[in-house]
Amino acid sequence: MKYIKFIALNLVVLLGCSVMLQAQNNYKNWSDIIRKSDASWFATPEAQNIAENVLLYQRNIGGWPKNIEMQKTLSDSEKQRLIALKSNLHDITTDNGATYQEMLFLAKIYKQKPDERYKKAFLSGLDYLLEAQFDNGGWPQFYPLKKGYYTHITYNDDSMFHILTILKQISETSDYYGIPIPQDYVSKAKVAFDKGIICIVKTQYKQNGVLTAWCAQHDENTLTPAKARAYELPSLSGKESAKIVLLLMTIDNPSPEVITAVKSAYAWFEKTKITNLEEKRILNNAGKVIDKKMIVTQNALPIWARFMELENNEPFFCDRDGVKKKSLDEIGAERKNGYAWYTDEPKEVLKKYPNWEKKYAFEKSEKKKIEDKNTITVAQDGSGDFKLIQDAINATKAFPYERVTIHIKNGTYYEKIRIPEFNNNISIIGESKEKTIITYDDYFGKMNLGRNSTFYTYTMLVEGNDFSASNLTIQNSSGDIGQAVALSIMGDRAYVFNCNILGNQDTLYASGNNSRQYFKDCYIEGTTDFIFGKATVLFENCQIHSIKNSYITAASTPEGKEFGFVFKNCTLTADKNATQVYLGRPWRIYAKTVFIECKMGSHILPQGWENWSKPEAEKTAFYAEYNCSGEGYKPEKRVLWAHQLSKKQAKKYTSENVLGFEAQRGKETK
């Protein structure tokens, strides 16, 4: 009987141990233990045993090595080895959550069991973080510095995010999960945090002059995107950038620079999200990923590539050979299945941004009643009524009786602007043509809306009548990648003075039913058909610049219209590699284009005009010149179906006749 009781007692003990082990197994990894939400668990003997390991693994300099499962039982010999390593300065890091996780664990257990050793170890860790910071505000991956890419400023695996999160809480609360922080540490933490934010702002990557996101690591001297491992090339990171922005969004009363950083990154996340792919993982019996497939799916939840090209945001993938591939299927199974190539982390940015924007981005504009103002100022630094041009347009009264003038201070405004038909009588005035830049980068292939995708690619679309613009640069920055409109004007009586209109193919779309437009003292550049449309347009004293061999104009003048595109006193120039440029070709067969007293560079082809494989257009189109000059003006060699105007004929091309209204109106935009 006693023997049976003994067996039963042992079974109970074994069952109890089994239950305890099963509970422990719910947290197999060190990172899982850190995230335990049950505060009372940190008062258990189990937690205290782990804390002893954490103390043993900490080096005298204050930091910890990475990838240590702190919860594993240590033998006596292992403990002695760790004691011997205390003064060793190798492999101490903040990578993969190291140091941050141990500090967080110590703070949580101190709150339940206030052992002074935990507090001392935490403060030693804080000393380590403060010492490791570069003067420019960033942190290396390893400190003391380890040769190689490890010296770069590292956002990889959210290292700097975790460091700054600790410093932020300390600087704001003088406390970290229950550990009281001495005041001198609080002050140091505040300084270090502010330096870190400055570093983040300075390292945000500019793509064609527009702020975007961050690389996983940046050169510690130049602050430019930098390479890490062979398959971690300089790129824009869809993963690491998310936590950076979320951190910036937690800052109370953010500076204009931080606000701009957040808004720019948000726009980049919106632009680069992928909604037609889903990742499918194939697992073996042990739950290990043995294959990944990207499946084309309509209306999929948004994901982002972890690595995107610095120039154009295109996703890429690398094997250990460091050779870029365009799809996940092109790399070997080891890297394909053993690395996170896509992420959904930016979804939190998109989710939280509207409330952040309402609180900070428009705080000033919400306080001002501007609905009935006739003068509005847009400034990125918050000194105006709005920080975004589109917001200013949206706030103007529909069909105003008096002209509304929107002054835009210098800055690069990455915006896709639309001025609707009901927002007429608007003037947009930049602070300077060179430094007030409105830019966006949509193009035909990116829009992917069918054969008419060109018309959706605009940077600025003007549908309202009586529009005027001056002292601006309006740019489509997508590059030489197909049809990409910078400025599209559909409204009537439009005035554009002293502006740069920049792009490649289809830079300026001048269209609209019965639309009349006047461009004066402007610089317009592009590649193919970069001035096109059916509007009646007078270009006066403008520089028309060809980037490569192609066509300047592609008019689609409606049948019966007396005037189409008219260029007066303009200068036609070109890049060095552009040596064979046509004045125009007919997009539609009744096209009308005339050059009067213009100076033409040698890049203009002797024949001047081309029929676009439409022989019938030679009878219906009207292409003409009068009294032009320069090496490109060769009237005797023009195609036979083009015209040279007589002096009498040229006289009818006055601004009043062409436009039907006084072209000097709009002087207030100068």
Side-chain angles (χ1 to χ4, degrees):
M1 190 70 178
K2 289 183 179 179
Y3 178 76
I4 294 173
K5 288 182 178 180
F6 174 78
I7 295 293
L9 181 62
N10 277 279
L11 283 173
V12 170
V13 172
L14 287 171
L15 284 171
C17 290
S18 175
V19 170
M20 185 178 71
L21 287 171
Q22 188 174 2
Q24 285 181 324
N25 286 335
N26 289 332
Y27 300 96
K28 294 181 179 179
N29 300 318
W30 174 229
S31 58
D32 294 329
I33 292 173
I34 299 299
R35 292 193 295 269
K36 285 173 75 75
S37 58
D38 181 7
S40 63
W41 178 87
F42 288 91
T44 64
E46 181 186 358
Q48 293 173 59
N49 288 336
I50 295 173
E52 294 303 316
N53 290 351
V54 171
L55 295 177
L56 276 171
Y57 274 105
Q58 186 180 29
R59 304 287 174 82
N60 290 341
I61 197 175
W64 282 263
K66 66 177 179 178
N67 301 332
I68 307 296
E69 296 297 335
M70 297 286 174
Q71 73 278 20
K72 290 187 176 180
T73 302
L74 295 173
S75 66
D76 289 340
S77 61
E78 287 174 323
K79 292 178 181 178
Q80 291 303 314
R81 184 180 64 83
L82 290 175
I83 292 172
L85 282 172
K86 283 288 185 179
S87 59
N88 191 300
L89 296 177
H90 294 92
D91 301 325
I92 309 167
T93 181
T94 58
D95 191 32
N96 288 4
T99 300
Y100 152 75
Q101 292 184 142
E102 287 74 36
M103 291 176 68
L104 178 56
F105 179 85
L106 289 171
K108 285 186 173 183
I109 195 169
Y110 180 86
K111 190 168 185 177
Q112 304 301 319
K113 291 286 183 178
D115 187 323
E116 284 300 306
R117 294 180 304 147
Y118 304 154
K119 177 181 176 181
K120 182 180 178 182
F122 177 90
L123 293 177
S124 180
L126 183 55
D127 280 328
Y128 170 77
L129 296 181
L130 295 172
E131 182 181 337
Q133 188 178 29
F134 288 133
D135 289 340
N136 60 26
W139 274 268
Q141 191 175 108
F142 284 80
Y143 185 82
L145 296 178
K146 181 178 177 180
K147 289 183 179 179
Y149 67 82
Y150 309 103
T151 62
H152 294 323
I153 295 168
T154 180
Y155 300 120
N156 195 29
D157 292 326
D158 305 322
S159 172
M160 222 167 114
F161 164 79
H162 292 310
I163 295 170
L164 290 172
T165 299
I166 291 176
L167 297 177
K168 184 174 187 293
Q169 182 170 332
I170 290 172
S171 65
E172 292 176 349
T173 65
S174 302
D175 173 275
Y176 190 77
Y177 287 93
I179 290 186
I181 308 297
Q183 188 56 46
D184 60 331
Y185 278 105
V186 174
S187 301
K188 290 177 182 178
K190 175 71 170 109
V191 171
F193 178 80
D194 290 345
K195 285 173 63 178
I197 297 303
I198 291 171
C199 178
I200 286 175
V201 170
K202 286 184 176 180
T203 50
Q204 189 173 18
Y205 184 73
K206 276 190 175 182
Q207 186 183 84
N208 299 318
V210 178
L211 289 170
T212 56
W214 291 263
C215 185
Q217 51 278 320
H218 288 249
D219 185 276
E220 65 273 23
N221 298 308
T222 66
L223 305 186
T224 55
K227 176 184 176 183
R229 289 174 286 189
Y231 51 89
E232 295 173 329
L233 301 179
S235 61
L236 292 174
S237 170
K239 179 187 183 300
E240 279 77 8
S241 296
K243 283 290 199 300
I244 292 172
V245 179
L246 290 170
L247 174 68
L248 295 178
M249 290 170 70
T250 66
I251 298 174
D252 292 329
N253 300 313
S255 67
E257 292 79 12
V258 169
I259 291 173
T260 298
V262 172
K263 293 175 76 172
S264 301
Y266 168 78
W268 183 82
F269 282 134
E270 280 284 10
K271 184 169 67 170
T272 57
K273 66 184 178 183
I274 300 167
T275 57
N276 63 349
L277 288 178
E278 282 185 346
E279 182 183 279
K280 181 179 179 181
R281 297 186 175 190
I282 300 172
L283 309 178
N284 62 14
N285 292 334
K288 182 180 179 181
V289 178
I290 57 174
D291 196 14
K292 290 180 183 176
K293 297 287 185 184
M294 300 308 298
I295 308 299
V296 176
T297 307
Q298 293 296 320
N299 300 317
L301 293 175
I303 57 174
W304 288 259
R306 187 165 185 175
F307 296 90
M308 296 183 229
E309 294 281 8
L310 295 170
E311 296 79 15
N312 56 22
N313 306 315
E314 289 186 5
F316 70 85
F317 311 86
C318 278
D319 221 320
R320 292 188 182 273
D321 58 5
V323 178
K324 291 181 182 179
K325 304 293 183 182
K326 292 198 172 186
S327 74
L328 195 56
D329 288 335
E330 296 181 73
I331 64 174
E334 186 268 335
R335 279 298 81 198
K336 176 183 177 182
N337 302 323
Y339 197 77
W341 296 100
Y342 288 95
T343 181
D344 66 353
E345 288 188 32
K347 70 181 181 182
E348 283 300 305
V349 175
L350 303 192
K351 178 181 177 182
K352 294 181 177 181
Y353 181 82
N355 287 334
W356 176 89
E357 182 183 55
K358 184 177 180 181
K359 186 175 181 181
Y360 294 117
F362 297 130
E363 186 179 42
K364 187 172 291 186
S365 59
E366 286 177 346
K367 291 177 181 177
K368 294 186 178 183
K369 294 183 178 180
I370 53 85
E371 291 84 355
D372 297 321
K373 288 178 64 173
N374 291 326
T375 300
I376 300 171
T377 299
V378 178
Q380 289 181 333
D381 63 4
S383 61
D385 300 296
F386 292 95
K387 296 177 183 177
L388 292 177
I389 300 166
Q390 189 65 59
D391 292 331
I393 293 166
N394 294 344
T396 61
K397 182 182 289 187
F399 305 111
Y401 292 110
E402 298 180 11
R403 177 165 291 277
V404 177
T405 301
I406 300 174
H407 293 278
I408 305 176
K409 291 191 176 182
N410 286 342
T412 298
Y413 297 82
Y414 180 74
E415 296 189 54
K416 192 175 180 74
I417 304 295
R418 178 182 173 228
I419 301 175
E421 175 263 346
F422 49 82
N423 286 132
N424 64 320
N425 227 12
I426 284 181
S427 291
I428 294 182
I429 306 175
E431 187 175 351
S432 71
K433 179 173 66 174
E434 294 76 19
K435 295 182 179 180
T436 307
I437 302 169
I438 305 170
T439 184
Y440 211 74
D441 53 6
D442 279 343
Y443 58 90
F444 187 99
K446 178 181 175 182
M447 301 309 295
N448 196 26
L449 294 171
R451 63 186 300 171
N452 296 315
S453 294
T454 300
F455 308 107
Y456 298 94
T457 63
Y458 61 85
T459 295
M460 177 182 284
L461 169 63
V462 180
E463 297 170 322
N465 293 338
D466 298 298
F467 166 81
S468 69
S470 64
N471 306 335
L472 295 167
T473 290
I474 303 170
Q475 177 184 33
N476 188 307
S477 57
S478 61
D480 191 7
I481 197 168
Q483 299 98 315
V485 177
L487 175 61
S488 175
I489 299 181
M490 314 287 284
D492 190 24
R493 297 183 299 276
Y495 305 84
V496 182
F497 299 103
N498 192 39
C499 287
N500 294 323
I501 317 296
L502 310 180
N504 284 272
Q505 184 173 349
D506 294 351
T507 303
L508 172 61
Y509 181 42
S511 195
N513 294 322
N514 302 312
S515 175
R516 295 162 294 175
Q517 305 173 21
Y518 180 44
F519 288 77
K520 189 174 188 296
D521 301 330
C522 291
Y523 173 88
I524 306 169
E525 73 172 22
T527 56
T528 300
D529 305 331
F530 62 93
I531 299 174
F532 73 115
K534 65 180 179 179
T536 296
V537 189
L538 174 61
F539 299 89
E540 192 168 14
N541 300 335
C542 293
Q543 181 180 350
I544 312 299
H545 188 80
S546 296
I547 297 175
K548 69 178 185 180
N549 295 337
S550 201
Y551 308 86
I552 295 174
T553 66
S556 55
T557 316
E559 183 179 7
K561 285 288 184 182
E562 187 175 5
F563 303 102
F565 293 164
V566 178
F567 296 84
K568 294 183 69 176
N569 300 307
C570 291
T571 302
L572 279 56
T573 59
D575 283 0
K576 289 182 179 180
N577 61 335
T579 58
Q580 299 180 32
V581 176
Y582 289 93
L583 294 171
R585 58 178 180 170
W587 185 20
R588 295 292 181 265
I589 63 172
Y590 295 100
K592 289 185 176 180
T593 303
V594 176
F595 288 85
I596 297 174
E597 296 182 334
C598 293
K599 184 176 181 180
M600 301 181 178
S602 60
H603 61 291
I604 300 299
L605 286 164
Q607 56 267 45
W609 311 89
E610 207 266 352
N611 69 11
W612 208 338
S613 300
K614 301 170 185 173
E616 68 275 21
E618 296 182 7
K619 297 179 181 179
T620 54
F622 185 79
Y623 287 150
E625 300 159 83
Y626 171 74
N627 197 31
C628 293
S629 61
E631 296 178 65
Y633 181 53
K634 300 183 184 297
E636 71 283 357
K637 294 186 178 181
R638 295 296 192 239
V639 292
L640 295 177
W641 46 279
H643 305 270
Q644 295 296 318
L645 301 177
S646 67
K647 185 175 182 180
K648 181 178 179 181
Q649 290 173 319
K651 281 186 177 180
K652 75 174 183 178
Y653 287 88
T654 64
S655 58
E656 290 77 12
N657 288 340
V658 172
L659 299 174
F661 55 84
E662 176 56 54
Q664 294 305 308
R665 182 182 169 190
K667 281 184 177 180
E668 74 277 4
T669 65
K670 291 188 176 182

